[in-house]
Amino acid sequence: MKSEDSGTIAVFGATGRQGGAVVDALLNHKATVRALVRDPRSDRAQALAARGVELAAVRTDDPASLAAALTAVEAFSFMTPEANTLEEVETEIRIGTALVDAAVAARVPHVVFNSVFGADRERGVPNHDSKHAIEEYLRKSGLSAAMVRSAPFMEELAPKLEHGEIVLRLPLPEDAALKMISVRDVGRVAAALLLGIAEAPGGAVELVGDELTGPEIAAAFGARAGLPARYEALPLSVLPTDLDRAVFRQFAKAAEHPSDLAVVRAIEPAALDLAGWIRATGWTR
Ligand SMILES: NC(=O)c1ccc[n+]([C@@H]2O[C@H](COP(=O)([O-])OP(=O)(O)OC[C@H]3O[C@@H](n4cnc5c(N)ncnc54)[C@H](OP(=O)(O)O)[C@@H]3O)[C@@H](O)[C@H]2O)c1
């Protein structure tokens, strides 16, 4: 399918970071985009409309609104909202499965789910296992589907300037390489799969643009700032919840697995490594 010739591509979460990046990439391909939003009058929804994105008002607890919004679309991109408590994890699964049901009802030809790194199986991380459950539900739905499983976003890194030095602190051992991806590239890879420009080998791709240890991440920011840099590995106990601690335990474990960096580059040759992301975003200390 050529992007310019593609039918309408529906995007859930378009007013957020990942969905917004999917829309950016689709519009770069001159695709026709329909955003499924809960409030079409919000500033973010209106900003999308101003760029030529069609808006469809939906409620995730109203299957008819979802199925109507997915009528006659060529492909559907969805993510699920952040879950920080076990109750929110339940809500996340409910939203994800409702979106799959709606895609089935509307006979959507192809679906791309923005999942999370490691969601190929349950790993004891509630807000990752939720995505595994949604992946399984999607797989069993009979829809043609692909999963894009993002590593942590580079955008989450927050080094500080302290006494003329760049300091990065994370609850991650000093020798564990953190896999990471820019939100921009999450959107680019998802768009390529939605438009049929690329295929995910085996139906899924783990999104990694770089993998670096804490000291290497700090050094990349320090190099950009022209300042010395230091990494401090914090204990997991600094994190406020069991759920957060489970997430960071998983990040450290993921360091032991080989990454799909080459697959990502095959789909999006300009995928950013951390130094490239720091340059591209104009990050300053
Ligand atoms: N942070 C990371 O490093 C990372 C890495 C991998 C995966 N993830 C996963 O990424 C997800 C978050 O993605 P994001 O950062 O793109 O989220 P985000 O920027 O917070 O955007 C959330 C989007 O979901 C919409 N939304 C939320 N609740 C909704 C509801 N009940 N009904 C309809 N729409 C709803 C929001 O719409 P409104 O404009 O209406 O609010 C918004 O468009 C989480 O599942 C997280 O686990 C995060």
Side-chain angles (χ1 to χ4, degrees), residues 181-249:
I181 184 83
S182 74
V183 174
R184 183 201 83 171
D185 292 331
V186 174
R188 287 189 178 192
V189 172
L193 301 177
L194 288 159
L195 294 168
I197 295 167
E199 279 188 18
V205 53
E206 298 214 304
L207 297 187
V208 180
D210 212 341
E211 43 187 335
L212 299 170
T213 62
E216 288 168 339
I217 297 170
F221 283 102
R224 178 66 179 173
L227 291 171
R230 175 164 68 83
Y231 178 68
E232 241 179 72
L234 302 174
L236 283 175
S237 57
V238 298
L239 292 167
T241 66
D242 284 348
L243 203 141
D244 290 328
R245 287 187 279 277
V247 167
F248 270 88
R249 239 179 249 117

Short mmCIF file of all heavy atoms in Angstrom, two decimals, residues 181-249:
data_model
loop_
_atom_site.label_atom_id
_atom_site.label_comp_id
_atom_site.label_asym_id
_atom_site.label_seq_id
_atom_site.Cartn_x
_atom_site.Cartn_y
_atom_site.Cartn_z
N ILE A 181 14.28 4.23 23.49
CA ILE A 181 13.82 4.62 22.15
C ILE A 181 13.25 6.04 22.25
O ILE A 181 12.73 6.42 23.29
CB ILE A 181 12.74 3.62 21.63
CG1 ILE A 181 12.26 3.91 20.20
CG2 ILE A 181 11.53 3.59 22.56
CD1 ILE A 181 13.14 3.36 19.13
N SER A 182 13.35 6.80 21.17
CA SER A 182 12.72 8.13 21.17
C SER A 182 11.24 7.97 20.81
O SER A 182 10.88 7.08 20.02
CB SER A 182 13.41 9.05 20.15
OG SER A 182 13.04 8.68 18.84
N VAL A 183 10.41 8.80 21.39
CA VAL A 183 8.97 8.75 21.08
C VAL A 183 8.76 8.99 19.58
O VAL A 183 7.90 8.36 18.96
CB VAL A 183 8.19 9.78 21.93
CG1 VAL A 183 6.73 9.83 21.51
CG2 VAL A 183 8.30 9.43 23.41
N ARG A 184 9.57 9.86 19.00
CA ARG A 184 9.47 10.11 17.56
C ARG A 184 9.56 8.82 16.75
O ARG A 184 8.75 8.57 15.84
CB ARG A 184 10.60 11.06 17.10
CG ARG A 184 10.53 11.43 15.64
CD ARG A 184 11.86 11.92 15.09
NE ARG A 184 12.74 10.81 14.71
CZ ARG A 184 13.88 10.94 14.04
NH1 ARG A 184 14.31 12.14 13.72
NH2 ARG A 184 14.62 9.89 13.72
N ASP A 185 10.51 7.96 17.15
CA ASP A 185 10.71 6.73 16.38
C ASP A 185 9.65 5.67 16.68
O ASP A 185 9.36 4.83 15.82
CB ASP A 185 12.13 6.20 16.60
CG ASP A 185 13.16 7.13 15.97
OD1 ASP A 185 12.80 7.81 14.97
OD2 ASP A 185 14.29 7.21 16.48
N VAL A 186 9.05 5.73 17.87
CA VAL A 186 7.90 4.86 18.13
C VAL A 186 6.84 5.16 17.07
O VAL A 186 6.26 4.27 16.44
CB VAL A 186 7.30 5.11 19.54
CG1 VAL A 186 6.02 4.31 19.74
CG2 VAL A 186 8.32 4.79 20.63
N GLY A 187 6.61 6.46 16.85
CA GLY A 187 5.61 6.88 15.86
C GLY A 187 6.01 6.48 14.44
O GLY A 187 5.17 6.00 13.67
N ARG A 188 7.29 6.65 14.13
CA ARG A 188 7.73 6.33 12.75
C ARG A 188 7.60 4.85 12.43
O ARG A 188 7.18 4.48 11.34
CB ARG A 188 9.17 6.79 12.55
CG ARG A 188 9.28 8.30 12.46
CD ARG A 188 10.66 8.70 12.04
NE ARG A 188 10.75 10.14 11.89
CZ ARG A 188 11.75 10.77 11.32
NH1 ARG A 188 12.76 10.09 10.85
NH2 ARG A 188 11.75 12.09 11.22
N VAL A 189 7.99 4.01 13.39
CA VAL A 189 7.91 2.57 13.13
C VAL A 189 6.44 2.14 13.05
O VAL A 189 6.04 1.41 12.13
CB VAL A 189 8.66 1.76 14.22
CG1 VAL A 189 8.41 0.27 14.05
CG2 VAL A 189 10.15 2.06 14.16
N ALA A 190 5.63 2.64 13.98
CA ALA A 190 4.19 2.28 13.96
C ALA A 190 3.56 2.73 12.63
O ALA A 190 2.80 1.96 12.01
CB ALA A 190 3.47 2.92 15.14
N ALA A 191 3.89 3.92 12.18
CA ALA A 191 3.31 4.42 10.93
C ALA A 191 3.71 3.55 9.74
O ALA A 191 2.89 3.24 8.86
CB ALA A 191 3.74 5.87 10.69
N ALA A 192 4.97 3.12 9.72
CA ALA A 192 5.43 2.27 8.61
C ALA A 192 4.65 0.96 8.58
O ALA A 192 4.30 0.45 7.51
CB ALA A 192 6.93 2.00 8.75
N LEU A 193 4.35 0.42 9.77
CA LEU A 193 3.58 -0.84 9.84
C LEU A 193 2.12 -0.60 9.47
O LEU A 193 1.48 -1.42 8.81
CB LEU A 193 3.69 -1.46 11.23
CG LEU A 193 5.11 -1.79 11.71
CD1 LEU A 193 5.07 -2.34 13.14
CD2 LEU A 193 5.79 -2.80 10.79
N LEU A 194 1.59 0.54 9.89
CA LEU A 194 0.18 0.86 9.59
C LEU A 194 -0.02 1.04 8.09
O LEU A 194 -1.06 0.66 7.53
CB LEU A 194 -0.23 2.16 10.30
CG LEU A 194 -0.41 2.05 11.81
CD1 LEU A 194 -0.31 3.43 12.48
CD2 LEU A 194 -1.76 1.39 12.15
N LEU A 195 0.98 1.64 7.44
CA LEU A 195 0.84 1.95 6.01
C LEU A 195 1.29 0.80 5.12
O LEU A 195 1.22 0.90 3.90
CB LEU A 195 1.64 3.22 5.69
CG LEU A 195 1.11 4.50 6.34
CD1 LEU A 195 2.12 5.63 6.22
CD2 LEU A 195 -0.23 4.90 5.72
N GLY A 196 1.78 -0.26 5.74
CA GLY A 196 2.25 -1.40 4.94
C GLY A 196 3.56 -1.12 4.24
O GLY A 196 3.95 -1.84 3.31
N ILE A 197 4.28 -0.09 4.70
CA ILE A 197 5.60 0.21 4.13
C ILE A 197 6.61 -0.82 4.65
O ILE A 197 7.60 -1.13 3.99
CB ILE A 197 6.03 1.64 4.54
CG1 ILE A 197 5.09 2.68 3.91
CG2 ILE A 197 7.48 1.93 4.15
CD1 ILE A 197 5.23 4.07 4.50
N ALA A 198 6.35 -1.32 5.85
CA ALA A 198 7.25 -2.32 6.46
C ALA A 198 6.41 -3.36 7.17
O ALA A 198 5.22 -3.14 7.43
CB ALA A 198 8.18 -1.63 7.46
N GLU A 199 7.06 -4.49 7.47
CA GLU A 199 6.39 -5.53 8.25
C GLU A 199 7.23 -5.86 9.47
O GLU A 199 8.46 -5.80 9.42
CB GLU A 199 6.20 -6.79 7.40
CG GLU A 199 5.00 -6.65 6.50
CD GLU A 199 4.68 -7.95 5.78
OE1 GLU A 199 5.14 -9.01 6.22
OE2 GLU A 199 3.95 -7.87 4.78
N ALA A 200 6.55 -6.22 10.56
CA ALA A 200 7.28 -6.63 11.76
C ALA A 200 7.55 -8.13 11.65
O ALA A 200 6.60 -8.90 11.52
CB ALA A 200 6.45 -6.34 13.00
N PRO A 201 8.82 -8.54 11.69
CA PRO A 201 9.11 -9.98 11.60
C PRO A 201 8.40 -10.72 12.74
O PRO A 201 8.53 -10.34 13.90
CB PRO A 201 10.63 -10.06 11.77
CG PRO A 201 11.13 -8.66 11.72
CD PRO A 201 10.00 -7.73 11.96
N GLY A 202 7.60 -11.72 12.41
CA GLY A 202 6.89 -12.48 13.44
C GLY A 202 5.75 -11.70 14.08
O GLY A 202 5.22 -12.11 15.10
N GLY A 203 5.41 -10.56 13.51
CA GLY A 203 4.26 -9.80 14.01
C GLY A 203 4.56 -8.86 15.16
O GLY A 203 3.63 -8.27 15.72
N ALA A 204 5.83 -8.73 15.53
CA ALA A 204 6.15 -7.84 16.64
C ALA A 204 7.57 -7.30 16.50
O ALA A 204 8.44 -7.98 15.97
CB ALA A 204 6.04 -8.58 17.97
N VAL A 205 7.77 -6.07 16.96
CA VAL A 205 9.13 -5.54 16.98
C VAL A 205 9.35 -4.82 18.30
O VAL A 205 8.50 -4.07 18.77
CB VAL A 205 9.43 -4.63 15.76
CG1 VAL A 205 8.41 -3.52 15.61
CG2 VAL A 205 10.83 -4.04 15.84
N GLU A 206 10.50 -5.15 18.94
CA GLU A 206 10.85 -4.46 20.18
C GLU A 206 11.59 -3.18 19.78
O GLU A 206 12.58 -3.23 19.05
CB GLU A 206 11.71 -5.35 21.06
CG GLU A 206 10.94 -6.61 21.46
CD GLU A 206 11.26 -7.15 22.85
OE1 GLU A 206 12.44 -7.41 23.10
OE2 GLU A 206 10.34 -7.31 23.63
N LEU A 207 11.08 -2.06 20.25
CA LEU A 207 11.61 -0.78 19.80
C LEU A 207 12.76 -0.30 20.68
O LEU A 207 12.57 0.10 21.82
CB LEU A 207 10.50 0.27 19.79
CG LEU A 207 9.34 -0.01 18.84
CD1 LEU A 207 8.39 1.17 18.79
CD2 LEU A 207 9.85 -0.34 17.44
N VAL A 208 13.94 -0.36 20.08
CA VAL A 208 15.15 0.07 20.77
C VAL A 208 15.94 0.94 19.81
O VAL A 208 16.20 0.54 18.67
CB VAL A 208 16.02 -1.16 21.17
CG1 VAL A 208 17.28 -0.70 21.88
CG2 VAL A 208 15.25 -2.10 22.06
N GLY A 209 16.32 2.13 20.26
CA GLY A 209 17.16 3.01 19.43
C GLY A 209 18.57 3.04 19.95
O GLY A 209 19.50 3.42 19.24
N ASP A 210 18.74 2.66 21.21
CA ASP A 210 20.07 2.66 21.82
C ASP A 210 20.02 1.80 23.07
O ASP A 210 18.94 1.55 23.61
CB ASP A 210 20.50 4.09 22.19
CG ASP A 210 22.01 4.27 22.07
OD1 ASP A 210 22.74 3.26 22.07
OD2 ASP A 210 22.47 5.42 21.98
N GLU A 211 21.18 1.32 23.50
CA GLU A 211 21.26 0.65 24.81
C GLU A 211 22.58 1.03 25.45
O GLU A 211 23.64 0.77 24.91
CB GLU A 211 21.07 -0.87 24.70
CG GLU A 211 21.77 -1.55 23.58
CD GLU A 211 21.36 -3.03 23.47
OE1 GLU A 211 20.94 -3.62 24.47
OE2 GLU A 211 21.49 -3.58 22.36
N LEU A 212 22.47 1.70 26.58
CA LEU A 212 23.64 2.29 27.24
C LEU A 212 23.53 2.13 28.75
O LEU A 212 22.43 2.19 29.30
CB LEU A 212 23.71 3.79 26.92
CG LEU A 212 23.86 4.22 25.46
CD1 LEU A 212 23.68 5.74 25.33
CD2 LEU A 212 25.23 3.81 24.91
N THR A 213 24.69 1.98 29.40
CA THR A 213 24.69 1.95 30.87
C THR A 213 24.48 3.38 31.39
O THR A 213 24.65 4.37 30.66
CB THR A 213 26.04 1.44 31.40
OG1 THR A 213 27.05 2.36 30.96
CG2 THR A 213 26.34 0.04 30.90
N GLY A 214 24.17 3.47 32.68
CA GLY A 214 24.00 4.79 33.31
C GLY A 214 25.18 5.72 33.07
O GLY A 214 24.99 6.86 32.63
N PRO A 215 26.43 5.24 33.34
CA PRO A 215 27.59 6.13 33.11
C PRO A 215 27.68 6.55 31.64
O PRO A 215 28.07 7.69 31.35
CB PRO A 215 28.78 5.25 33.51
CG PRO A 215 28.22 4.28 34.51
CD PRO A 215 26.82 4.00 34.06
N GLU A 216 27.31 5.65 30.71
CA GLU A 216 27.36 6.03 29.28
C GLU A 216 26.28 7.07 28.94
O GLU A 216 26.51 7.97 28.13
CB GLU A 216 27.17 4.79 28.40
CG GLU A 216 28.38 3.86 28.43
CD GLU A 216 28.12 2.49 27.80
OE1 GLU A 216 26.94 2.06 27.70
OE2 GLU A 216 29.10 1.82 27.42
N ILE A 217 25.10 6.92 29.56
CA ILE A 217 24.03 7.92 29.31
C ILE A 217 24.47 9.28 29.84
O ILE A 217 24.35 10.30 29.15
CB ILE A 217 22.71 7.48 30.00
CG1 ILE A 217 22.21 6.17 29.43
CG2 ILE A 217 21.65 8.57 29.85
CD1 ILE A 217 21.06 5.53 30.21
N ALA A 218 24.98 9.27 31.07
CA ALA A 218 25.45 10.54 31.66
C ALA A 218 26.52 11.17 30.76
O ALA A 218 26.49 12.38 30.50
CB ALA A 218 26.00 10.29 33.06
N ALA A 219 27.44 10.34 30.26
CA ALA A 219 28.53 10.86 29.42
C ALA A 219 27.99 11.48 28.14
O ALA A 219 28.51 12.50 27.66
CB ALA A 219 29.51 9.73 29.10
N ALA A 220 26.92 10.88 27.57
CA ALA A 220 26.35 11.43 26.32
C ALA A 220 25.78 12.83 26.57
O ALA A 220 25.99 13.74 25.75
CB ALA A 220 25.24 10.49 25.80
N PHE A 221 25.12 13.01 27.70
CA PHE A 221 24.60 14.35 28.03
C PHE A 221 25.76 15.31 28.34
O PHE A 221 25.75 16.47 27.94
CB PHE A 221 23.63 14.28 29.21
CG PHE A 221 22.27 13.76 28.84
CD1 PHE A 221 21.90 12.45 29.12
CD2 PHE A 221 21.34 14.59 28.19
CE1 PHE A 221 20.64 11.97 28.77
CE2 PHE A 221 20.08 14.10 27.83
CZ PHE A 221 19.73 12.79 28.13
N GLY A 222 26.75 14.79 29.08
CA GLY A 222 27.90 15.62 29.43
C GLY A 222 28.65 16.10 28.18
O GLY A 222 29.05 17.26 28.10
N ALA A 223 28.78 15.18 27.20
CA ALA A 223 29.50 15.54 25.97
C ALA A 223 28.77 16.68 25.26
O ALA A 223 29.38 17.62 24.75
CB ALA A 223 29.62 14.32 25.06
N ARG A 224 27.46 16.60 25.25
CA ARG A 224 26.66 17.65 24.59
C ARG A 224 26.80 18.98 25.33
O ARG A 224 26.89 20.04 24.71
CB ARG A 224 25.18 17.22 24.55
CG ARG A 224 24.26 18.22 23.94
CD ARG A 224 24.55 18.40 22.46
NE ARG A 224 23.66 19.36 21.86
CZ ARG A 224 23.77 19.81 20.61
NH1 ARG A 224 24.73 19.37 19.84
NH2 ARG A 224 22.92 20.70 20.15
N ALA A 225 26.82 18.90 26.66
CA ALA A 225 26.89 20.12 27.46
C ALA A 225 28.32 20.65 27.56
O ALA A 225 28.53 21.79 27.98
CB ALA A 225 26.35 19.82 28.86
N GLY A 226 29.30 19.83 27.18
CA GLY A 226 30.70 20.23 27.33
C GLY A 226 31.11 20.27 28.80
O GLY A 226 31.91 21.11 29.21
N LEU A 227 30.53 19.36 29.60
CA LEU A 227 30.77 19.34 31.03
C LEU A 227 31.11 17.92 31.50
O LEU A 227 30.71 16.96 30.86
CB LEU A 227 29.52 19.82 31.79
CG LEU A 227 29.15 21.29 31.64
CD1 LEU A 227 27.78 21.55 32.25
CD2 LEU A 227 30.21 22.17 32.29
N PRO A 228 31.81 17.83 32.64
CA PRO A 228 31.99 16.48 33.19
C PRO A 228 30.65 15.88 33.59
O PRO A 228 29.70 16.63 33.86
CB PRO A 228 32.86 16.72 34.43
CG PRO A 228 32.78 18.18 34.71
CD PRO A 228 32.41 18.88 33.45
N ALA A 229 30.57 14.55 33.60
CA ALA A 229 29.29 13.90 33.89
C ALA A 229 29.51 12.75 34.85
O ALA A 229 30.57 12.13 34.88
CB ALA A 229 28.67 13.39 32.60
N ARG A 230 28.49 12.48 35.63
CA ARG A 230 28.59 11.45 36.66
C ARG A 230 27.27 10.71 36.74
O ARG A 230 26.20 11.30 36.56
CB ARG A 230 28.89 12.16 37.98
CG ARG A 230 28.92 11.34 39.21
CD ARG A 230 29.61 12.12 40.34
NE ARG A 230 28.82 13.28 40.77
CZ ARG A 230 27.82 13.22 41.64
NH1 ARG A 230 27.46 12.05 42.15
NH2 ARG A 230 27.17 14.30 42.02
N TYR A 231 27.35 9.38 36.98
CA TYR A 231 26.13 8.57 37.18
C TYR A 231 26.08 8.08 38.61
O TYR A 231 27.11 7.66 39.16
CB TYR A 231 26.13 7.37 36.23
CG TYR A 231 24.91 6.47 36.42
CD1 TYR A 231 23.64 6.91 36.08
CD2 TYR A 231 25.03 5.21 36.99
CE1 TYR A 231 22.53 6.10 36.28
CE2 TYR A 231 23.92 4.39 37.18
CZ TYR A 231 22.67 4.85 36.83
OH TYR A 231 21.56 4.07 37.03
N GLU A 232 24.92 8.13 39.18
CA GLU A 232 24.70 7.58 40.53
C GLU A 232 23.62 6.53 40.46
O GLU A 232 22.47 6.86 40.11
CB GLU A 232 24.22 8.70 41.44
CG GLU A 232 25.13 8.98 42.61
CD GLU A 232 24.59 10.13 43.44
OE1 GLU A 232 23.57 9.93 44.13
OE2 GLU A 232 25.17 11.23 43.34
N ALA A 233 23.96 5.29 40.75
CA ALA A 233 22.95 4.22 40.78
C ALA A 233 22.23 4.28 42.12
O ALA A 233 22.88 4.21 43.17
CB ALA A 233 23.63 2.87 40.59
N LEU A 234 20.92 4.46 42.07
CA LEU A 234 20.13 4.56 43.30
C LEU A 234 19.56 3.19 43.65
O LEU A 234 19.36 2.35 42.77
CB LEU A 234 18.98 5.56 43.10
CG LEU A 234 19.37 6.98 42.70
CD1 LEU A 234 18.12 7.81 42.41
CD2 LEU A 234 20.21 7.63 43.81
N PRO A 235 19.25 2.96 44.93
CA PRO A 235 18.59 1.71 45.28
C PRO A 235 17.13 1.74 44.84
O PRO A 235 16.53 2.82 44.73
CB PRO A 235 18.68 1.67 46.81
CG PRO A 235 18.81 3.11 47.21
CD PRO A 235 19.51 3.82 46.09
N LEU A 236 16.56 0.56 44.60
CA LEU A 236 15.15 0.49 44.18
C LEU A 236 14.22 1.10 45.24
O LEU A 236 13.12 1.55 44.93
CB LEU A 236 14.75 -0.97 43.96
CG LEU A 236 15.21 -1.61 42.65
CD1 LEU A 236 14.83 -3.09 42.64
CD2 LEU A 236 14.63 -0.91 41.44
N SER A 237 14.71 1.15 46.49
CA SER A 237 13.86 1.64 47.59
C SER A 237 13.51 3.12 47.43
O SER A 237 12.59 3.60 48.10
CB SER A 237 14.53 1.40 48.93
OG SER A 237 15.80 2.02 48.94
N VAL A 238 14.18 3.85 46.53
CA VAL A 238 13.81 5.27 46.34
C VAL A 238 12.48 5.38 45.59
O VAL A 238 11.85 6.44 45.58
CB VAL A 238 14.88 6.08 45.55
CG1 VAL A 238 16.20 6.09 46.30
CG2 VAL A 238 15.04 5.56 44.12
N LEU A 239 12.06 4.28 44.94
CA LEU A 239 10.82 4.33 44.16
C LEU A 239 9.61 4.20 45.09
O LEU A 239 9.63 3.45 46.05
CB LEU A 239 10.83 3.22 43.11
CG LEU A 239 11.87 3.43 42.02
CD1 LEU A 239 12.06 2.16 41.20
CD2 LEU A 239 11.50 4.59 41.10
N PRO A 240 8.54 4.94 44.75
CA PRO A 240 7.43 5.03 45.70
C PRO A 240 6.53 3.79 45.78
O PRO A 240 5.91 3.56 46.81
CB PRO A 240 6.62 6.22 45.18
CG PRO A 240 7.01 6.37 43.75
CD PRO A 240 8.40 5.85 43.61
N THR A 241 6.46 2.98 44.72
CA THR A 241 5.50 1.87 44.76
C THR A 241 6.15 0.55 44.33
O THR A 241 7.17 0.54 43.63
CB THR A 241 4.31 2.12 43.80
OG1 THR A 241 4.81 2.12 42.46
CG2 THR A 241 3.61 3.46 44.08
N ASP A 242 5.50 -0.56 44.73
CA ASP A 242 5.95 -1.89 44.29
C ASP A 242 5.96 -1.97 42.78
O ASP A 242 6.82 -2.59 42.16
CB ASP A 242 4.99 -2.97 44.82
CG ASP A 242 5.22 -3.22 46.30
OD1 ASP A 242 6.24 -2.74 46.83
OD2 ASP A 242 4.35 -3.88 46.92
N LEU A 243 4.94 -1.34 42.18
CA LEU A 243 4.80 -1.38 40.73
C LEU A 243 6.01 -0.72 40.06
O LEU A 243 6.61 -1.28 39.13
CB LEU A 243 3.50 -0.67 40.34
CG LEU A 243 2.89 -1.04 39.01
CD1 LEU A 243 1.37 -1.09 39.13
CD2 LEU A 243 3.28 -0.04 37.97
N ASP A 244 6.41 0.46 40.55
CA ASP A 244 7.60 1.14 40.01
C ASP A 244 8.84 0.28 40.18
O ASP A 244 9.69 0.19 39.28
CB ASP A 244 7.82 2.49 40.72
CG ASP A 244 6.75 3.50 40.36
OD1 ASP A 244 6.25 3.46 39.23
OD2 ASP A 244 6.42 4.33 41.22
N ARG A 245 8.94 -0.36 41.35
CA ARG A 245 10.13 -1.19 41.60
C ARG A 245 10.16 -2.39 40.64
O ARG A 245 11.21 -2.76 40.13
CB ARG A 245 10.15 -1.66 43.07
CG ARG A 245 10.50 -0.52 44.03
CD ARG A 245 10.69 -1.00 45.45
NE ARG A 245 9.44 -1.20 46.16
CZ ARG A 245 8.75 -0.22 46.77
NH1 ARG A 245 9.21 1.02 46.77
NH2 ARG A 245 7.61 -0.47 47.38
N ALA A 246 8.98 -2.96 40.38
CA ALA A 246 8.91 -4.08 39.43
C ALA A 246 9.35 -3.63 38.04
O ALA A 246 10.06 -4.36 37.32
CB ALA A 246 7.49 -4.64 39.40
N VAL A 247 8.95 -2.42 37.66
CA VAL A 247 9.32 -1.89 36.33
C VAL A 247 10.84 -1.78 36.22
O VAL A 247 11.45 -2.25 35.24
CB VAL A 247 8.65 -0.52 36.09
CG1 VAL A 247 9.27 0.18 34.88
CG2 VAL A 247 7.14 -0.67 35.91
N PHE A 248 11.49 -1.19 37.23
CA PHE A 248 12.94 -0.99 37.12
C PHE A 248 13.72 -2.30 37.25
O PHE A 248 14.78 -2.45 36.64
CB PHE A 248 13.42 0.08 38.11
CG PHE A 248 13.38 1.45 37.47
CD1 PHE A 248 12.23 2.21 37.52
CD2 PHE A 248 14.47 1.94 36.77
CE1 PHE A 248 12.17 3.45 36.90
CE2 PHE A 248 14.42 3.18 36.13
CZ PHE A 248 13.27 3.94 36.20
N ARG A 249 13.16 -3.24 38.02
CA ARG A 249 13.79 -4.58 38.06
C ARG A 249 13.81 -5.18 36.66
O ARG A 249 14.77 -5.76 36.21
CB ARG A 249 13.01 -5.48 39.01
CG ARG A 249 13.86 -6.00 40.13
CD ARG A 249 13.08 -6.88 41.08
NE ARG A 249 12.92 -6.24 42.38
CZ ARG A 249 11.76 -5.89 42.93
NH1 ARG A 249 10.62 -6.15 42.32
NH2 ARG A 249 11.72 -5.30 44.09
#
